[in-house]
Structure formats: C-alpha cells, structure tokens
Amino acid sequence: MSDIPTPTPPSLTHFDAQGQAHMVDVGAKQATHRIAVACGQIEMRPETLALIGSGSAKKGDVLGVARIAGIMAAKKTSDLIPLCHPLALTRVALEFELRTHENAVLCTATVETVGATGVEMEALTAVQVALLTVYDMCKAADKGMVIGGVRLLEKRGGKSGSFFAPASPVR
C-alpha cells in the first residue's frame, strides 16, 4: 500500500447528512456580484447555416428569436432545475457566431446577478434553450443538426472564487 493519502472527493451540496436531496440554504451567504459565462454550438449542413446567415429561414430571424429564448430561459431556470434558487438577474446577454469552417453556430451566454448564489445554471440553461430554438426554427431544412460542447467557461464571485475553463475545441 502507498503512503500517499487518497484525496477526499468534494461533498455534493444538494444532499443533506442523510443523503436526501434538498435546496441549499444560502441565507447566511453574503450577496456578491456574480458572473457566469457558458457556451455551446449547433452543427448543421452548410445550406442551413447559409439560411441562418442570410436571414431567409422560413420562420424568420433565427438568431434574434434564439436570443430572446435564451434570455427567457435564464430567467426561468429555477422552474426547470428542481433545486435551483429563483434569482433576480441583473444581466443576460447572448452572442452568436456563425462558424462557416465548422458549419456551426456558436452561442455564448453571459449572466450576472448580485446575490447569495451563482448563476452558472442560468448561463448553461440559456445556451441550451437558445440552441434548441435554432434547431426548432431550422428543423424543416435540416433534422440532422447536432447540439454539443455545452459547458461553463467562467464563473466569478462568491465564496468559491473564480473558475476559468481550460481551452476547448468548441471555443
């Protein structure tokens, strides 16, 4: 046997001492400025990307509608994820990049609040729903689109400090 200690895995905060799921009590935590940035992409046929880029999709402005859907999703995250706290968001911004060399649309969401808990789930939810909206609006032209690479890029604020994801092929 080795004398090297085995690292203790981090505890999962959504379980109590008896292993029951619960909502984390953030009442005693200090309200701080919190930011999270998430990204993901949807891959498609070149013709589908061209439809989005030209604004000629039958259902209209694909990225404009996807942006609104992502903002709405961030605001409704606690209705979708059972143990998330409802938050007063101070900013939700979505950016899209057409990546013709990959036949993909990259979505990046930035979410901010001043509060006792972070906004990582809100940023991730915004990206997922925005990309699902792109799929919905373009599925008549391309049912084979693939959503992937959704991940947290960065989070700042709160007791755990900052997190910056390592480089990824999606970014």
Side-chain angles (χ1 to χ4, degrees), residues 73 76-82 125 129:
K76 292 290 192 178
T77 298
S78 66
D79 292 339
L80 300 170
I81 311 296
T125 300
V129 171

Side-chain angles (χ1 to χ4, degrees), residues 14-107:
H14 285 90
F15 294 97
D16 64 17
Q18 291 75 40
Q20 302 295 314
H22 73 104
M23 186 180 229
V24 175
D25 181 359
V26 298
K29 292 172 80 177
Q30 183 176 356
T32 61
H33 183 221
R34 295 163 184 268
I35 301 170
V37 181
C39 75
Q41 69 179 26
I42 183 167
E43 298 170 8
M44 60 196 65
R45 294 190 342 236
E47 301 83 17
T48 309
L49 188 63
L51 279 174
I52 293 170
S54 69
S56 59
K58 286 184 181 180
K59 291 188 176 182
D61 177 9
V62 172
L63 299 182
V65 174
R67 180 174 288 107
I68 296 298
I71 292 168
M72 291 174 64
K75 292 166 52 174
K76 292 290 192 178
T77 298
S78 66
D79 292 339
L80 300 170
I81 311 296
L83 301 177
C84 281
H85 292 83
L87 301 177
L89 303 179
T90 57
R91 178 174 179 243
V92 179
L94 279 86
E95 297 174 16
F96 296 94
E97 178 187 336
L98 300 180
R99 296 184 146 193
T100 54
H101 59 287
E102 297 174 25
N103 297 317
V105 175
L106 175 73
C107 175

